[in-house]
Amino acid sequence: MIQEVGGVVERARTVFAERIAERRAGVGDPRALVGEMRRTVLLVPSVDGRLWSARSGGVRWVCAFTDETALARFALRHGPGERPVEYAALLGARIVDEVVPGLGEPAGLAVDIATEDGSMFFPPVTGIVPDGAAVDTGTAGEERGHGR
């Protein structure tokens, strides 16, 4: 039974990688990509129990990976030296619906950032994150307590 579940997870990751490749090639449906991201289990490295993120361009990016190989590429460059990299396996939906809004600042999801031809960014905009966390609604700062 566990192997069957693992097979389902692997198929979902494969479909997600295909959707990323389509968008990077300038084809495919962006909504289908977001839908696959939401349904895919992603691996998010953690340090001292906190999920790994990086700040760039005024946005905090939660870094997630589609598989252990992509995570290993990242860990070779940014990992904790000789210690193994710990990670959480989370649905993309949980990351963008719960983790990102909980950061209290503009935040998005960065997938496979150490994979040169396979990375994809999901910015904090309507349709990706909840409206209260989206920077394009005009309410994100107010709902986080940074408004007027």
Side-chain angles (χ1 to χ4, degrees), residues 5-68:
V5 170
V8 170
V9 168
E10 286 306 313
R11 280 192 296 279
R13 289 181 180 155
T14 300
V15 171
F16 183 44
E18 290 170 1
R19 295 289 173 267
I20 288 174
E22 289 171 356
R23 289 306 304 150
R24 289 181 61 90
V27 297
D29 181 358
R31 292 172 296 196
L33 174 64
V34 172
E36 287 302 329
M37 174 271 294
R38 295 181 62 77
R39 289 185 289 274
T40 300
V41 174
L42 298 168
L43 309 178
V44 183
S46 63
V47 176
D48 299 326
R50 301 179 78 194
L51 298 179
W52 183 285
S53 64
R55 189 180 316 269
S56 179
V59 174
R60 175 157 303 280
W61 297 97
V62 175
C63 302
F65 302 88
T66 54
D67 57 33
E68 289 181 341

Short mmCIF file of all heavy atoms in Angstrom, two decimals, residues 5-68:
data_model
loop_
_atom_site.label_atom_id
_atom_site.label_comp_id
_atom_site.label_asym_id
_atom_site.label_seq_id
_atom_site.Cartn_x
_atom_site.Cartn_y
_atom_site.Cartn_z
N VAL A 5 1.03 4.53 -2.71
CA VAL A 5 0.95 5.94 -2.35
C VAL A 5 2.17 6.68 -2.88
O VAL A 5 2.07 7.74 -3.46
CB VAL A 5 0.81 6.12 -0.81
CG1 VAL A 5 0.96 7.58 -0.42
CG2 VAL A 5 -0.52 5.58 -0.34
N GLY A 6 3.35 6.10 -2.72
CA GLY A 6 4.57 6.71 -3.24
C GLY A 6 4.50 6.90 -4.74
O GLY A 6 4.96 7.90 -5.27
N GLY A 7 3.92 5.93 -5.45
CA GLY A 7 3.77 6.04 -6.90
C GLY A 7 2.87 7.19 -7.28
O GLY A 7 3.13 7.91 -8.25
N VAL A 8 1.81 7.40 -6.50
CA VAL A 8 0.90 8.52 -6.76
C VAL A 8 1.63 9.84 -6.57
O VAL A 8 1.51 10.76 -7.37
CB VAL A 8 -0.35 8.43 -5.84
CG1 VAL A 8 -1.17 9.70 -5.92
CG2 VAL A 8 -1.19 7.22 -6.20
N VAL A 9 2.43 9.93 -5.51
CA VAL A 9 3.20 11.15 -5.23
C VAL A 9 4.18 11.40 -6.36
O VAL A 9 4.32 12.52 -6.85
CB VAL A 9 3.92 11.04 -3.86
CG1 VAL A 9 4.93 12.16 -3.69
CG2 VAL A 9 2.91 11.06 -2.73
N GLU A 10 4.87 10.36 -6.81
CA GLU A 10 5.85 10.51 -7.90
C GLU A 10 5.18 10.95 -9.19
O GLU A 10 5.70 11.80 -9.91
CB GLU A 10 6.62 9.21 -8.12
CG GLU A 10 7.64 8.94 -7.04
CD GLU A 10 8.62 10.09 -6.82
OE1 GLU A 10 9.15 10.63 -7.80
OE2 GLU A 10 8.83 10.45 -5.65
N ARG A 11 4.01 10.40 -9.51
CA ARG A 11 3.29 10.82 -10.72
C ARG A 11 2.88 12.28 -10.63
O ARG A 11 3.01 13.03 -11.59
CB ARG A 11 2.07 9.93 -10.96
CG ARG A 11 2.41 8.60 -11.60
CD ARG A 11 1.18 7.86 -12.09
NE ARG A 11 0.27 7.48 -11.01
CZ ARG A 11 0.42 6.42 -10.23
NH1 ARG A 11 1.45 5.63 -10.38
NH2 ARG A 11 -0.46 6.15 -9.29
N ALA A 12 2.43 12.71 -9.46
CA ALA A 12 2.04 14.11 -9.27
C ALA A 12 3.24 15.02 -9.47
O ALA A 12 3.13 16.07 -10.12
CB ALA A 12 1.43 14.31 -7.89
N ARG A 13 4.40 14.64 -8.93
CA ARG A 13 5.61 15.45 -9.10
C ARG A 13 6.02 15.51 -10.56
O ARG A 13 6.48 16.54 -11.05
CB ARG A 13 6.74 14.90 -8.24
CG ARG A 13 6.53 15.13 -6.78
CD ARG A 13 7.67 14.59 -5.97
NE ARG A 13 7.43 14.83 -4.56
CZ ARG A 13 7.95 14.11 -3.60
NH1 ARG A 13 8.76 13.11 -3.88
NH2 ARG A 13 7.69 14.39 -2.34
N THR A 14 5.87 14.39 -11.27
CA THR A 14 6.22 14.36 -12.69
C THR A 14 5.31 15.28 -13.49
O THR A 14 5.78 16.04 -14.34
CB THR A 14 6.12 12.91 -13.23
OG1 THR A 14 7.03 12.10 -12.49
CG2 THR A 14 6.45 12.84 -14.69
N VAL A 15 4.02 15.24 -13.21
CA VAL A 15 3.07 16.13 -13.92
C VAL A 15 3.41 17.58 -13.60
O VAL A 15 3.40 18.44 -14.49
CB VAL A 15 1.61 15.79 -13.53
CG1 VAL A 15 0.64 16.83 -14.08
CG2 VAL A 15 1.24 14.40 -14.03
N PHE A 16 3.72 17.87 -12.35
CA PHE A 16 4.08 19.24 -11.97
C PHE A 16 5.33 19.70 -12.73
O PHE A 16 5.37 20.80 -13.27
CB PHE A 16 4.29 19.31 -10.46
CG PHE A 16 4.61 20.68 -9.93
CD1 PHE A 16 3.91 21.81 -10.36
CD2 PHE A 16 5.59 20.86 -8.98
CE1 PHE A 16 4.19 23.07 -9.86
CE2 PHE A 16 5.89 22.11 -8.48
CZ PHE A 16 5.19 23.22 -8.92
N ALA A 17 6.34 18.84 -12.80
CA ALA A 17 7.57 19.18 -13.54
C ALA A 17 7.25 19.42 -15.02
O ALA A 17 7.82 20.33 -15.64
CB ALA A 17 8.60 18.06 -13.39
N GLU A 18 6.32 18.65 -15.58
CA GLU A 18 5.92 18.86 -16.98
C GLU A 18 5.24 20.22 -17.15
O GLU A 18 5.49 20.93 -18.13
CB GLU A 18 4.98 17.75 -17.43
CG GLU A 18 5.67 16.41 -17.59
CD GLU A 18 4.69 15.26 -17.80
OE1 GLU A 18 3.45 15.48 -17.84
OE2 GLU A 18 5.17 14.11 -17.92
N ARG A 19 4.39 20.60 -16.20
CA ARG A 19 3.71 21.90 -16.27
C ARG A 19 4.73 23.04 -16.16
O ARG A 19 4.62 24.06 -16.84
CB ARG A 19 2.66 22.04 -15.16
CG ARG A 19 1.50 21.11 -15.25
CD ARG A 19 0.57 21.44 -16.41
NE ARG A 19 -0.43 20.42 -16.55
CZ ARG A 19 -0.32 19.36 -17.36
NH1 ARG A 19 0.74 19.21 -18.12
NH2 ARG A 19 -1.27 18.45 -17.42
N ILE A 20 5.73 22.88 -15.31
CA ILE A 20 6.79 23.89 -15.19
C ILE A 20 7.52 24.02 -16.52
O ILE A 20 7.73 25.14 -17.02
CB ILE A 20 7.77 23.55 -14.05
CG1 ILE A 20 7.09 23.76 -12.69
CG2 ILE A 20 9.04 24.40 -14.14
CD1 ILE A 20 7.91 23.32 -11.50
N ALA A 21 7.89 22.90 -17.11
CA ALA A 21 8.61 22.93 -18.40
C ALA A 21 7.77 23.61 -19.48
O ALA A 21 8.30 24.39 -20.28
CB ALA A 21 8.97 21.51 -18.83
N GLU A 22 6.47 23.36 -19.50
CA GLU A 22 5.59 24.02 -20.48
C GLU A 22 5.62 25.53 -20.31
O GLU A 22 5.79 26.26 -21.28
CB GLU A 22 4.14 23.52 -20.31
CG GLU A 22 3.90 22.11 -20.75
CD GLU A 22 2.52 21.60 -20.37
OE1 GLU A 22 1.75 22.33 -19.70
OE2 GLU A 22 2.24 20.46 -20.73
N ARG A 23 5.46 26.01 -19.07
CA ARG A 23 5.44 27.46 -18.83
C ARG A 23 6.79 28.09 -19.14
O ARG A 23 6.85 29.18 -19.68
CB ARG A 23 5.02 27.77 -17.39
CG ARG A 23 3.57 27.50 -17.10
CD ARG A 23 2.60 28.19 -18.05
NE ARG A 23 2.80 29.62 -18.06
CZ ARG A 23 2.56 30.41 -19.11
NH1 ARG A 23 2.12 29.92 -20.24
NH2 ARG A 23 2.77 31.69 -19.04
N ARG A 24 7.87 27.40 -18.81
CA ARG A 24 9.19 27.94 -19.12
C ARG A 24 9.40 28.02 -20.63
O ARG A 24 10.14 28.88 -21.11
CB ARG A 24 10.28 27.10 -18.46
CG ARG A 24 10.31 27.30 -16.93
CD ARG A 24 11.40 26.48 -16.28
NE ARG A 24 12.72 26.85 -16.75
CZ ARG A 24 13.50 27.79 -16.23
NH1 ARG A 24 13.09 28.48 -15.17
NH2 ARG A 24 14.69 28.05 -16.73
N ALA A 25 8.71 27.16 -21.38
CA ALA A 25 8.79 27.18 -22.85
C ALA A 25 7.80 28.18 -23.45
O ALA A 25 7.75 28.35 -24.67
CB ALA A 25 8.53 25.78 -23.41
N GLY A 26 7.02 28.83 -22.59
CA GLY A 26 6.07 29.84 -23.08
C GLY A 26 4.75 29.27 -23.54
O GLY A 26 3.98 29.95 -24.21
N VAL A 27 4.47 28.02 -23.21
CA VAL A 27 3.19 27.40 -23.56
C VAL A 27 2.55 26.85 -22.30
O VAL A 27 3.09 26.97 -21.21
CB VAL A 27 3.38 26.26 -24.60
CG1 VAL A 27 3.95 26.82 -25.90
CG2 VAL A 27 4.27 25.16 -24.06
N GLY A 28 1.39 26.26 -22.44
CA GLY A 28 0.70 25.68 -21.29
C GLY A 28 -0.17 26.70 -20.59
O GLY A 28 -0.07 27.90 -20.79
N ASP A 29 -1.05 26.19 -19.77
CA ASP A 29 -2.03 27.00 -19.05
C ASP A 29 -1.49 27.35 -17.66
O ASP A 29 -1.21 26.45 -16.86
CB ASP A 29 -3.33 26.20 -18.93
CG ASP A 29 -4.43 26.95 -18.22
OD1 ASP A 29 -4.22 28.09 -17.76
OD2 ASP A 29 -5.54 26.37 -18.14
N PRO A 30 -1.33 28.64 -17.35
CA PRO A 30 -0.82 29.02 -16.03
C PRO A 30 -1.70 28.50 -14.90
O PRO A 30 -1.21 28.14 -13.83
CB PRO A 30 -0.81 30.55 -16.05
CG PRO A 30 -0.97 30.95 -17.46
CD PRO A 30 -1.56 29.80 -18.20
N ARG A 31 -3.02 28.44 -15.14
CA ARG A 31 -3.92 27.91 -14.09
C ARG A 31 -3.65 26.44 -13.83
O ARG A 31 -3.74 25.98 -12.70
CB ARG A 31 -5.38 28.15 -14.46
CG ARG A 31 -5.73 29.65 -14.45
CD ARG A 31 -7.09 29.84 -14.99
NE ARG A 31 -7.02 29.42 -16.40
CZ ARG A 31 -7.90 29.69 -17.32
NH1 ARG A 31 -8.96 30.37 -17.02
NH2 ARG A 31 -7.74 29.28 -18.56
N ALA A 32 -3.33 25.69 -14.89
CA ALA A 32 -3.01 24.27 -14.71
C ALA A 32 -1.73 24.12 -13.89
O ALA A 32 -1.62 23.22 -13.06
CB ALA A 32 -2.87 23.57 -16.06
N LEU A 33 -0.77 24.99 -14.12
CA LEU A 33 0.48 24.97 -13.37
C LEU A 33 0.21 25.23 -11.89
O LEU A 33 0.70 24.50 -11.02
CB LEU A 33 1.46 26.01 -13.91
CG LEU A 33 2.76 26.19 -13.12
CD1 LEU A 33 3.59 24.92 -13.13
CD2 LEU A 33 3.54 27.36 -13.69
N VAL A 34 -0.58 26.24 -11.59
CA VAL A 34 -0.91 26.55 -10.20
C VAL A 34 -1.67 25.39 -9.57
O VAL A 34 -1.41 25.00 -8.43
CB VAL A 34 -1.70 27.88 -10.09
CG1 VAL A 34 -2.21 28.09 -8.67
CG2 VAL A 34 -0.82 29.05 -10.52
N GLY A 35 -2.60 24.81 -10.31
CA GLY A 35 -3.35 23.66 -9.80
C GLY A 35 -2.44 22.49 -9.47
O GLY A 35 -2.59 21.85 -8.42
N GLU A 36 -1.48 22.19 -10.33
CA GLU A 36 -0.54 21.10 -10.07
C GLU A 36 0.34 21.42 -8.87
O GLU A 36 0.63 20.54 -8.06
CB GLU A 36 0.33 20.80 -11.30
CG GLU A 36 -0.40 20.11 -12.41
CD GLU A 36 -1.02 18.79 -12.03
OE1 GLU A 36 -0.50 18.08 -11.14
OE2 GLU A 36 -2.06 18.45 -12.62
N MET A 37 0.77 22.67 -8.75
CA MET A 37 1.57 23.06 -7.60
C MET A 37 0.80 22.80 -6.31
O MET A 37 1.32 22.25 -5.36
CB MET A 37 1.97 24.54 -7.70
CG MET A 37 2.69 25.09 -6.48
SD MET A 37 1.60 25.77 -5.19
CE MET A 37 0.89 27.17 -6.00
N ARG A 38 -0.47 23.16 -6.30
CA ARG A 38 -1.30 22.99 -5.11
C ARG A 38 -1.48 21.52 -4.74
O ARG A 38 -1.57 21.18 -3.57
CB ARG A 38 -2.65 23.66 -5.30
CG ARG A 38 -2.55 25.19 -5.45
CD ARG A 38 -3.92 25.82 -5.62
NE ARG A 38 -4.75 25.59 -4.44
CZ ARG A 38 -4.64 26.26 -3.28
NH1 ARG A 38 -3.72 27.19 -3.15
NH2 ARG A 38 -5.44 25.98 -2.27
N ARG A 39 -1.51 20.63 -5.73
CA ARG A 39 -1.74 19.20 -5.49
C ARG A 39 -0.46 18.40 -5.24
O ARG A 39 -0.52 17.23 -4.91
CB ARG A 39 -2.46 18.59 -6.69
CG ARG A 39 -3.89 19.01 -6.84
CD ARG A 39 -4.57 18.27 -7.98
NE ARG A 39 -4.10 18.68 -9.29
CZ ARG A 39 -4.57 19.71 -9.99
NH1 ARG A 39 -5.54 20.45 -9.48
NH2 ARG A 39 -4.09 20.00 -11.17
N THR A 40 0.69 19.02 -5.42
CA THR A 40 1.96 18.31 -5.34
C THR A 40 2.56 18.40 -3.94
O THR A 40 2.56 19.47 -3.33
CB THR A 40 2.95 18.89 -6.38
OG1 THR A 40 2.38 18.73 -7.68
CG2 THR A 40 4.28 18.18 -6.33
N VAL A 41 3.10 17.28 -3.47
CA VAL A 41 3.85 17.28 -2.22
C VAL A 41 5.25 17.79 -2.54
O VAL A 41 5.94 17.26 -3.41
CB VAL A 41 3.93 15.86 -1.62
CG1 VAL A 41 4.85 15.86 -0.40
CG2 VAL A 41 2.54 15.36 -1.26
N LEU A 42 5.64 18.85 -1.86
CA LEU A 42 6.94 19.48 -2.07
C LEU A 42 7.81 19.31 -0.82
O LEU A 42 7.29 19.21 0.29
CB LEU A 42 6.77 20.96 -2.39
CG LEU A 42 6.00 21.25 -3.68
CD1 LEU A 42 5.63 22.72 -3.77
CD2 LEU A 42 6.81 20.82 -4.88
N LEU A 43 9.10 19.27 -1.04
CA LEU A 43 10.05 19.11 0.06
C LEU A 43 10.63 20.48 0.41
O LEU A 43 11.21 21.16 -0.46
CB LEU A 43 11.17 18.16 -0.36
CG LEU A 43 10.70 16.82 -0.93
CD1 LEU A 43 11.90 15.97 -1.34
CD2 LEU A 43 9.79 16.08 0.03
N VAL A 44 10.44 20.91 1.65
CA VAL A 44 10.90 22.22 2.10
C VAL A 44 11.98 22.01 3.16
O VAL A 44 11.71 21.46 4.23
CB VAL A 44 9.75 23.06 2.69
CG1 VAL A 44 10.24 24.45 3.09
CG2 VAL A 44 8.58 23.15 1.72
N PRO A 45 13.23 22.41 2.85
CA PRO A 45 14.29 22.24 3.85
C PRO A 45 13.98 23.04 5.11
O PRO A 45 13.31 24.08 5.05
CB PRO A 45 15.54 22.78 3.15
CG PRO A 45 15.10 23.42 1.91
CD PRO A 45 13.68 23.08 1.65
N SER A 46 14.46 22.53 6.23
CA SER A 46 14.27 23.24 7.49
C SER A 46 15.58 23.31 8.25
O SER A 46 16.43 22.42 8.14
CB SER A 46 13.18 22.57 8.33
OG SER A 46 13.57 21.25 8.68
N VAL A 47 15.72 24.36 9.00
CA VAL A 47 16.89 24.57 9.85
C VAL A 47 16.36 24.92 11.23
O VAL A 47 15.57 25.87 11.37
CB VAL A 47 17.79 25.71 9.31
CG1 VAL A 47 18.95 25.97 10.26
CG2 VAL A 47 18.28 25.37 7.91
N ASP A 48 16.76 24.15 12.22
CA ASP A 48 16.30 24.37 13.60
C ASP A 48 14.77 24.44 13.68
O ASP A 48 14.22 25.28 14.39
CB ASP A 48 16.93 25.64 14.17
CG ASP A 48 18.45 25.56 14.23
OD1 ASP A 48 18.97 24.45 14.46
OD2 ASP A 48 19.11 26.60 14.03
N GLY A 49 14.10 23.60 12.90
CA GLY A 49 12.65 23.53 12.94
C GLY A 49 11.92 24.61 12.16
O GLY A 49 10.70 24.66 12.17
N ARG A 50 12.65 25.48 11.49
CA ARG A 50 12.03 26.56 10.71
C ARG A 50 12.24 26.30 9.23
O ARG A 50 13.32 25.90 8.81
CB ARG A 50 12.64 27.91 11.09
CG ARG A 50 12.45 28.19 12.59
CD ARG A 50 13.05 29.49 12.98
NE ARG A 50 12.14 30.54 12.54
CZ ARG A 50 12.45 31.81 12.48
NH1 ARG A 50 13.65 32.20 12.79
NH2 ARG A 50 11.58 32.69 12.08
N LEU A 51 11.20 26.52 8.44
CA LEU A 51 11.29 26.30 7.00
C LEU A 51 12.24 27.29 6.36
O LEU A 51 12.28 28.47 6.72
CB LEU A 51 9.91 26.41 6.36
CG LEU A 51 8.87 25.38 6.85
CD1 LEU A 51 7.53 25.62 6.16
CD2 LEU A 51 9.35 23.96 6.64
N TRP A 52 13.02 26.80 5.41
CA TRP A 52 14.02 27.62 4.72
C TRP A 52 13.31 28.62 3.82
O TRP A 52 12.42 28.28 3.05
CB TRP A 52 14.93 26.72 3.89
CG TRP A 52 16.02 27.46 3.20
CD1 TRP A 52 15.91 28.25 2.10
CD2 TRP A 52 17.39 27.48 3.56
NE1 TRP A 52 17.13 28.76 1.76
CE2 TRP A 52 18.06 28.30 2.63
CE3 TRP A 52 18.13 26.88 4.57
CZ2 TRP A 52 19.43 28.53 2.70
CZ3 TRP A 52 19.49 27.11 4.63
CH2 TRP A 52 20.12 27.94 3.70
N SER A 53 13.76 29.86 3.89
CA SER A 53 13.26 30.89 2.98
C SER A 53 14.40 31.86 2.71
O SER A 53 15.40 31.88 3.42
CB SER A 53 12.05 31.62 3.57
OG SER A 53 12.42 32.33 4.74
N ALA A 54 14.22 32.62 1.66
CA ALA A 54 15.22 33.62 1.28
C ALA A 54 14.50 34.88 0.83
O ALA A 54 13.39 34.80 0.29
CB ALA A 54 16.10 33.09 0.15
N ARG A 55 15.10 36.01 1.06
CA ARG A 55 14.48 37.28 0.67
C ARG A 55 15.15 37.78 -0.61
O ARG A 55 16.37 37.80 -0.72
CB ARG A 55 14.64 38.31 1.77
CG ARG A 55 13.86 39.58 1.52
CD ARG A 55 14.06 40.56 2.65
NE ARG A 55 14.01 39.97 3.96
CZ ARG A 55 12.91 39.87 4.71
NH1 ARG A 55 11.78 40.32 4.25
NH2 ARG A 55 12.95 39.31 5.90
N SER A 56 14.31 38.17 -1.58
CA SER A 56 14.82 38.75 -2.82
C SER A 56 13.74 39.63 -3.42
O SER A 56 12.57 39.25 -3.48
CB SER A 56 15.19 37.63 -3.82
OG SER A 56 15.66 38.19 -5.02
N GLY A 57 14.13 40.82 -3.85
CA GLY A 57 13.20 41.73 -4.49
C GLY A 57 12.04 42.16 -3.61
O GLY A 57 10.94 42.39 -4.10
N GLY A 58 12.26 42.25 -2.30
CA GLY A 58 11.21 42.67 -1.38
C GLY A 58 10.21 41.57 -1.05
O GLY A 58 9.18 41.83 -0.44
N VAL A 59 10.51 40.33 -1.45
CA VAL A 59 9.61 39.20 -1.20
C VAL A 59 10.40 38.12 -0.46
O VAL A 59 11.55 37.85 -0.78
CB VAL A 59 9.06 38.63 -2.53
CG1 VAL A 59 8.25 37.37 -2.30
CG2 VAL A 59 8.23 39.68 -3.26
N ARG A 60 9.77 37.52 0.52
CA ARG A 60 10.35 36.35 1.18
C ARG A 60 9.85 35.13 0.41
O ARG A 60 8.67 34.95 0.22
CB ARG A 60 9.93 36.25 2.64
CG ARG A 60 10.46 34.95 3.24
CD ARG A 60 10.60 34.99 4.74
NE ARG A 60 11.42 36.02 5.29
CZ ARG A 60 12.76 36.01 5.36
NH1 ARG A 60 13.43 34.99 4.86
NH2 ARG A 60 13.41 37.00 5.92
N TRP A 61 10.77 34.31 -0.07
CA TRP A 61 10.45 33.12 -0.87
C TRP A 61 10.67 31.87 -0.05
O TRP A 61 11.78 31.61 0.41
CB TRP A 61 11.34 33.07 -2.11
CG TRP A 61 11.12 34.24 -3.02
CD1 TRP A 61 11.87 35.38 -3.08
CD2 TRP A 61 10.08 34.39 -3.98
NE1 TRP A 61 11.35 36.23 -4.02
CE2 TRP A 61 10.25 35.65 -4.60
CE3 TRP A 61 9.02 33.57 -4.39
CZ2 TRP A 61 9.41 36.12 -5.59
CZ3 TRP A 61 8.18 34.03 -5.38
CH2 TRP A 61 8.36 35.29 -5.97
N VAL A 62 9.60 31.10 0.15
CA VAL A 62 9.72 29.78 0.76
C VAL A 62 10.30 28.88 -0.33
O VAL A 62 9.76 28.80 -1.43
CB VAL A 62 8.36 29.25 1.24
CG1 VAL A 62 8.48 27.82 1.76
CG2 VAL A 62 7.76 30.18 2.30
N CYS A 63 11.41 28.23 -0.02
CA CYS A 63 12.10 27.39 -1.01
C CYS A 63 11.62 25.95 -0.88
O CYS A 63 11.67 25.37 0.21
CB CYS A 63 13.60 27.46 -0.80
SG CYS A 63 14.25 29.14 -0.91
N ALA A 64 11.14 25.38 -1.98
CA ALA A 64 10.63 24.01 -1.98
C ALA A 64 11.17 23.27 -3.19
O ALA A 64 11.56 23.89 -4.19
CB ALA A 64 9.10 24.03 -1.99
N PHE A 65 11.15 21.95 -3.11
CA PHE A 65 11.75 21.13 -4.14
C PHE A 65 10.83 19.97 -4.50
O PHE A 65 10.13 19.43 -3.65
CB PHE A 65 13.12 20.64 -3.68
CG PHE A 65 14.02 21.81 -3.36
CD1 PHE A 65 14.03 22.37 -2.10
CD2 PHE A 65 14.78 22.39 -4.36
CE1 PHE A 65 14.80 23.49 -1.82
CE2 PHE A 65 15.56 23.51 -4.09
CZ PHE A 65 15.57 24.06 -2.82
N THR A 66 10.86 19.61 -5.77
CA THR A 66 9.96 18.57 -6.27
C THR A 66 10.40 17.17 -5.91
O THR A 66 9.58 16.26 -5.89
CB THR A 66 9.80 18.66 -7.81
OG1 THR A 66 11.10 18.63 -8.40
CG2 THR A 66 9.06 19.92 -8.20
N ASP A 67 11.69 16.97 -5.61
CA ASP A 67 12.17 15.65 -5.22
C ASP A 67 13.49 15.78 -4.47
O ASP A 67 14.05 16.87 -4.35
CB ASP A 67 12.30 14.72 -6.43
CG ASP A 67 13.23 15.25 -7.51
OD1 ASP A 67 14.22 15.94 -7.20
OD2 ASP A 67 12.95 14.99 -8.70
N GLU A 68 13.97 14.66 -3.96
CA GLU A 68 15.20 14.69 -3.18
C GLU A 68 16.42 15.05 -4.01
O GLU A 68 17.37 15.64 -3.50
CB GLU A 68 15.40 13.36 -2.46
CG GLU A 68 14.40 13.18 -1.32
CD GLU A 68 14.58 11.87 -0.57
OE1 GLU A 68 15.21 10.93 -1.10
OE2 GLU A 68 14.06 11.81 0.55
#
